[in-house]
Amino acid sequence: MSISMTAPASTPTSTPAPETATARPPAAEVELSYDATVPRTLVHRASIAEVFVTDSAETGEETFAVAAQLPRGHLIGEDSPSYDFTLLVEVVRQAGVLVAHRHLGVDVGSAFIFRDLSLRITAFEPLRIGSRPADLRVNMVVRTRRNRAGRIQGFTFTGDVEVDGRPAMRGEGGLLILSKTAYLAMRSRRQMPDNPGFLLPRFTAAEPCAVGRRDARNVFVTQPVADGEAGRFSSQLVVDTSHPHVFDHPLDHVPGHLQMEAARQLAVASVARLHGLDPYSLSVASIGTDFTDYAELDRITSLRATVEGFRSDEELGTFTVPVAVQAVQENTVTTAMRLEVAQWS
């Protein structure tokens, strides 16, 4: 299967009906509000502080625009001079969930199971933190898949992200949508591991400086070690279920954005060690993910990275280093990720 996004337990099980089709102005002319965030249940968050999207509109047939605002200060963003990649991933996730509930009529109690997600930075400069919080606009094209009764079973999307009116990122992905009952039935059939969760080792996280982080609370991998062959490194996933951003509400699996952030940290540390670079000068330029199975909380997750050589990226005006990362549980690859690490500060 893959990762899922389910609403907090307190979430109601109904949602507003899809908006009635009316004459719409061109997408570029649709104004969005940044005055307040949307209800947290519409983006599957328990904490109001973790909601970043503020408005949305249907701009055409299967096209939507979503507004969001990024805070200049956030636990996962630390005190970096630029907006953190993980926050951008979260904005894209929230945008997709909001469109599904507000515009496509998907029930709030549904589970969203991402099959794949690819994001690429198209310009780093718009991501610098300025004197005010950044206003984002996500423009999406959505292709739905429905059953014979008309219920949405999933959709694919493509889109781009503008930061204060400047293009900064583009992405695409695909997901499945299950009812709460179907999701619980599917998860109840999972094979329990031989070792109960409370016997899992308590891994020690790497030093923040090794992975390009500043706050120890945001380090989710052990110290990377060389695997013998040049360019190969490995670490263990460090799971902190009390983290207020990653585990905003209880989950029954390792969330996808935690795996992506852990892959980012292993990739940065590996590129820095292999090529003699400062981890703090490295940023993720792109990430592509294939979620093939659930990563379970009661199993050890190993991360394996393979680092390649330098490549020139004319669009970004810098070099990038491709890194392939696998998340493995009990000899099974649960997630395959492909990242590009760039030097930018």
Side-chain angles (χ1 to χ4, degrees), residues 173-193:
L175 53 85
L176 303 176
I177 300 175
L178 297 179
S179 67
K180 183 178 181 180
T181 300
Y183 176 78
L184 292 175
M186 178 188 68
R187 292 294 284 152
S188 68
R189 295 194 297 268
R190 65 173 288 252
Q191 183 177 359
M192 296 299 293

Side-chain angles (χ1 to χ4, degrees), residues 2-5 89 93 114 117 246 251 253-263 287 289 291 295 335 337:
S2 68
I3 65 165
S4 69
M5 300 181 297
V89 172
R93 185 197 71 81
F114 264 101
L117 179 64
V246 178
L251 297 170
H253 59 277
V254 179
H257 60 293
L258 172 55
Q259 297 180 64
M260 294 168 72
E261 171 60 22
I287 185 169
T289 60
F291 300 105
T335 309
M337 292 165 275

Side-chain angles (χ1 to χ4, degrees), residues 192-201 298-300 330:
M192 296 299 293
D194 295 333
N195 56 303
F198 60 82
L199 291 180
L200 290 180
D298 51 9
R299 298 177 185 174
I300 296 173
E330 298 183 351

Side-chain angles (χ1 to χ4, degrees), residues 4-5 7 38 44 50 72 107 123 132 138 165 174 190 196 198 228 236 245 260 264 271 295 298 315 321 331-332:
S4 69
M5 300 181 297
V38 301
H44 299 186
E50 294 297 332
R72 290 186 294 165
D107 189 90
R132 54 172 298 281
V138 184
R190 65 173 288 252
F198 60 82
Q236 305 295 334
H245 174 74
M260 294 168 72
R264 185 264 286 266
V271 169
D298 51 9
E315 183 177 31
V321 179
N331 297 318
T332 298

Side-chain angles (χ1 to χ4, degrees), residues 76-221:
I76 202 74
E78 302 177 330
D79 59 352
S80 171
S82 61
Y83 288 105
D84 190 80
F85 189 82
T86 295
L87 287 179
L88 296 171
V89 172
E90 177 62 12
V91 166
V92 172
R93 185 197 71 81
Q94 291 187 16
V97 176
L98 178 64
V99 165
H101 291 318
R102 175 175 281 182
H103 300 285
L104 302 179
V106 175
D107 189 90
V108 172
S110 302
F112 287 57
I113 305 175
F114 264 101
R115 303 304 301 269
D116 59 89
L117 179 64
S118 298
L119 300 170
R120 175 175 173 79
I121 302 295
T122 56
F124 279 118
E125 195 60 34
L127 301 180
R128 289 191 189 275
I129 297 177
S131 60
R132 54 172 298 281
D135 289 341
L136 278 67
R137 181 184 176 108
V138 184
N139 299 301
M140 304 174 61
V141 178
V142 175
R143 300 281 188 258
T144 60
R145 182 168 61 85
R146 300 174 182 266
N147 61 15
R148 292 182 179 179
R151 187 183 72 83
I152 292 180
Q153 296 178 308
F155 61 82
T156 60
F157 68 90
T158 59
D160 58 79
V161 179
E162 298 175 356
V163 178
D164 289 331
R166 296 185 293 173
M169 186 169 70
R170 60 175 177 261
E172 60 183 66
L175 53 85
L176 303 176
I177 300 175
L178 297 179
S179 67
K180 183 178 181 180
T181 300
Y183 176 78
L184 292 175
M186 178 188 68
R187 292 294 284 152
S188 68
R189 295 194 297 268
R190 65 173 288 252
Q191 183 177 359
M192 296 299 293
D194 295 333
N195 56 303
F198 60 82
L199 291 180
L200 290 180
R202 296 182 180 179
F203 294 112
T204 300
E207 291 295 323
C209 61
V211 298
R213 279 299 193 178
R214 293 170 173 81
D215 192 329
R217 293 174 296 177
N218 293 330
V219 180
F220 304 120
V221 297

